[in-house]
Amino acid sequence: CGSPGGGCQFLGTAATSQVVGEALGLTLTHAALSPSGAAVWKDLASRSGAMALALVRSGTTTKDILSADSIHNAMVCHAAFGGSTNLILHLPAIAHAAGLPRPTVADWQRINAEVPRLVDSLPNGPHGFATVQVFLAGGVPEVMLHLRELGLLKTDALTVTGKSLGENLAWWEKSERRRKLQEKLRQLDGIDPETVIMSPAN
């Protein structure tokens, strides 16, 4: 599972933590699962640094961004990705540290019963695509487009971009980045992005 930049190619604890971090609104849109060492990863680092400086200048802290809605969105994304069970422990700890209500076992059971599994990634799924292929297929924002369609997201949740989740998803849906990376997945690996991130109908 090694890669030149040290990134995991399966959806274990580290990759799931990236997914949950983005779902919480704590990273730039389409940051999770970015391939280590690649140009797109270096660009993300540069833009993330600029974002962090902007947050410091505005006096915005993590507690200003985290909310009950963002915790809900993280739980929903975790279920849709079929992420590592370690996050069932970590996410309540994040909520507690932010002074928010902690998800209970009943909350996890309800959300996992409501949310369809949409991602086929190692070590789960019939094909077991690598996390870089999930990234190229659209990653967290692509999954969130489906979850939005199902009415499962809290799109008013604030993010580190200074915009709501809904505003970020509206950008992603029409972005050139989305189109180019999905086309790259088709060209490099001969994979249809919709077999990696499935629509609810599939």
Side-chain angles (χ1 to χ4, degrees), residues 55-202:
L55 290 171
V56 169
R57 289 186 185 116
S58 69
T60 304
T61 68
T62 304
K63 282 191 176 183
D64 296 320
I65 295 162
L66 291 178
S67 64
D69 284 353
S70 61
I71 298 292
H72 167 86
N73 289 341
M75 293 175 71
V76 167
C77 277
H78 180 275
F81 270 81
S84 167
T85 54
N86 283 335
L87 272 293
I88 294 172
L89 299 174
H90 297 323
L91 195 53
I94 291 168
H96 175 72
L100 298 167
R102 288 173 283 178
T104 65
V105 171
D107 293 329
W108 285 107
Q109 289 173 328
R110 174 180 51 79
I111 284 181
N112 279 281
E114 291 174 358
V115 178
R117 171 78 176 282
L118 300 177
V119 179
D120 180 354
S121 183
L122 290 167
N124 302 309
H127 301 99
F129 295 107
T131 54
V132 67
Q133 293 167 321
V134 177
F135 174 81
L136 291 172
V140 172
E142 196 68 24
V143 171
M144 284 185 154
L145 290 179
H146 294 309
L147 295 172
R148 182 188 66 182
E149 179 186 338
L150 293 170
L152 294 169
L153 284 181
K154 308 287 187 182
T155 55
D156 289 337
L158 184 63
T159 72
V160 291
T161 66
K163 297 179 180 177
S164 70
L165 174 61
E167 290 173 301
N168 289 346
L169 291 179
W171 166 79
W172 173 256
E173 194 168 20
K174 297 176 180 173
S175 73
E176 185 69 5
R177 178 186 177 97
R178 178 189 187 208
R179 186 193 66 76
K180 281 185 175 179
L181 291 177
Q182 288 181 344
E183 186 56 33
K184 191 169 189 176
L185 179 62
R186 290 185 185 96
Q187 289 176 350
L188 291 178
D189 297 337
I191 294 172
D192 181 348
E194 292 187 9
T195 64
V196 181
I197 297 174
M198 299 164 280
S199 72
N202 294 339

